[in-house]
Amino acid sequence: MGDPICKWRNASVWTTVELVSRLPKEEMSDAEFRRIMNRSPYGPAFIKTAYQLACQLGLYYVDERNVYHPRFDHDITDREAEEYLKYWVTQYYVPNPYTARKFENSNHSLRLVDAIANLVMEHPNCANLEEACNMLFGEVTGNLACVKFFINEYSDVMSVADNFDIRLRRREYKNCDVYNARDDRRAFFETFNR
């Protein structure tokens, strides 16, 4: 089973503001970054759990030289977080460097929201989030409650009901293909640059 996004917490404004407030604001070695995060309120658990959502949100990445790169050089407000997340949801793609080692049937990554919308437009009888994700990735897809949350909170393309049925808000085709290397952390991070 592939999970499009981790389930540590929902990708909420509050979580994003909190993560940014805890993350260092300047580049540094990965070793120094880990020391700082181990002393943070998250403690050593950050590197085991919270890091995945922070990276999936594009809040930081560690490059091949083991240098930590933050997205923000300051703490952000709720408004800044909401604006960022509304952009983030339009660019978020799966698989990416921080998705579990599943999605073996995916030849390339897909911008998730646009891919789901395109599938529903092409196959109106497949208007359920679970069915759509399973069809897109050719395998059972997990953590759909987290996907539903960020679609409903930040996407102007569609909404997802409690039973996971999809209602399109606008009908336009967008290219949802992403040809970055699956493990290219820098390319994933830069996807969310404006």
Side-chain angles (χ1 to χ4, degrees):
M1 173 180 354
D3 297 332
I5 194 159
C6 71
K7 62 182 175 181
W8 175 67
R9 286 188 191 166
N10 278 325
S12 70
V13 167
W14 182 85
T15 297
T16 304
V17 168
E18 178 191 330
L19 285 167
V20 171
S21 75
R22 306 279 191 231
L23 291 169
K25 307 300 186 278
E26 65 272 341
E27 291 183 357
M28 61 186 63
S29 71
D30 183 43
E32 180 62 19
F33 166 68
R34 287 171 180 263
R35 274 192 292 281
I36 290 170
M37 295 312 293
N38 281 339
R39 293 189 310 253
S40 78
Y42 296 121
F46 178 84
I47 300 300
K48 295 179 183 166
T49 55
Y51 88 92
Q52 187 179 13
L53 182 60
C55 290
Q56 286 179 326
L57 288 173
L59 301 180
Y60 81 91
Y61 82 102
V62 175
D63 69 18
E64 65 282 348
R65 297 173 300 133
N66 290 319
V67 175
Y68 162 85
H69 301 271
R71 162 93 35 222
F72 296 100
D73 63 2
H74 63 282
D75 288 343
I76 60 174
T77 65
D78 289 357
R79 183 171 179 230
E80 287 174 295
E82 184 174 8
E83 288 174 9
Y84 177 75
L85 290 166
K86 285 181 178 181
Y87 181 72
W88 170 84
V89 78
T90 67
Q91 302 302 309
Y92 185 72
Y93 63 83
V94 176
N96 62 60
Y98 308 104
T99 51
R101 292 287 136 212
K102 299 293 181 179
F103 302 104
E104 286 96 10
N105 299 319
S106 299
N107 295 327
H108 57 278
S109 298
L110 300 170
R111 283 190 184 84
L112 188 59
V113 172
D114 287 331
I116 293 167
N118 288 345
L119 182 75
V120 170
M121 286 187 276
E122 292 171 7
H123 305 280
N125 62 337
C126 183
N128 178 277
L129 185 62
E130 182 177 10
E131 293 170 14
C133 286
N134 293 350
M135 184 181 269
L136 280 173
F137 298 113
E139 64 183 79
V140 174
T141 310
N143 292 345
L144 294 177
C146 294
V147 174
K148 175 185 162 223
F149 175 84
F150 72 68
I151 288 173
N152 286 341
E153 290 294 313
Y154 311 114
S155 175
D156 64 353
V157 174
M158 70 182 82
S159 61
V160 181
D162 288 342
N163 66 356
F164 291 100
D165 283 349
I166 297 168
R167 184 179 65 81
L168 295 178
R169 293 183 179 149
R170 54 185 171 93
R171 297 179 179 273
E172 59 189 49
Y173 284 87
K174 286 187 174 180
N175 181 6
C176 56
D177 297 324
V178 177
Y179 293 101
N180 294 336
R182 176 183 179 149
D183 293 324
D184 190 337
R185 294 176 184 175
R186 179 179 179 172
F188 181 76
F189 179 82
E190 290 177 350
T191 296
F192 309 110
N193 291 348
R194 293 190 201 207

